[in-house]
Amino acid sequence: MSIAAKLREYRTFATRALREPATFGAVLPTSRYVAEAVAEVVPSTGTPTVLELGPGTGPLSDALRSRIPDGSRHLAVEIDRGMVDYLRRAKPWLEVVEGDAAHLRTLLDEAGVRSADAVISSLPWTLLPPGEQRALLDEIARVLDPNGVFTTVTYLTTLWRDRTREFVGALDEVFDEVLPRSAVWRNVPPARVYACRRPLTPAR
């Protein structure tokens, strides 16, 4: 990405975060170091369906695109209209779905997607009450292929908060395997990536 494009990305993110602070969990877009850590767990063979939740300006999208094979579907669900418009202009190769991830099954039905082989989340979990956290995780588990992987990011600076602890506890309730990967210290703020497999929530 060129310097000019990176500046446009940062400016767009900061503008939307200031206008809609309740829906943003960070002050800067996710770094390439986190993006690379997330992309490592995404299938690199076959033609997987990869789903992003809350892509923002798309820093994870770029890393995922470089890994997933040709012929795959790469969708991104984004609730913020300004971000949707930006993504459609800046990343025309990305299949952007405007909507609330709380209605994920409906959104994917409309997109003709039965299940996802990988779900990647940049959603601000610490801004959600525990009930909404669990409802959204259940929704993710219902659309995830039984052999798929759910990957999400939290920030080390929030580990002491009740909502972060509740979220990590909810991961253990919804998935049979929850693996916290190494901390990514070169992100601002420092981040932790979780890879979760074998959803326990029955499919609808």
Side-chain angles (χ1 to χ4, degrees), residues 14-73:
T15 299
R16 299 307 302 172
L18 288 172
R19 290 181 179 176
E20 302 289 343
T23 60
F24 286 78
V27 295
L28 293 173
T30 302
S31 72
R32 68 178 178 88
Y33 306 106
V34 169
E36 290 168 359
V38 168
E40 286 178 358
V41 301
V42 173
S44 61
T45 59
T47 54
T49 296
V50 177
L51 174 65
E52 285 186 75
L53 306 180
T57 52
L60 297 184
S61 307
D62 294 325
L64 296 172
R65 186 192 186 198
S66 67
R67 179 172 173 84
I68 60 178
D70 292 339
S72 305
R73 287 191 74 176

Side-chain angles (χ1 to χ4, degrees), residues 72-93:
S72 305
R73 287 191 74 176
H74 184 180
L75 302 94
V77 175
E78 175 58 56
I79 194 172
D80 185 90
R81 183 56 186 272
M83 289 298 190
V84 169
D85 292 341
Y86 171 83
L87 288 169
R88 287 175 175 166
R89 290 193 309 271
K91 305 180 192 301
W93 43 266

Side-chain angles (χ1 to χ4, degrees), residues 1-12 86:
M1 180 182 292
S2 68
I3 294 176
K6 178 59 70 174
L7 289 174
R8 284 195 297 272
E9 177 185 303
Y10 274 65
R11 185 169 58 249
T12 299
Y86 171 83

Side-chain angles (χ1 to χ4, degrees), residues 119-137:
V119 178
I120 296 92
S121 170
S122 297
L123 297 173
W125 295 103
T126 57
L127 300 183
L128 301 177
E132 292 183 22
Q133 290 180 356
R134 180 56 190 266
L136 185 50
L137 286 173

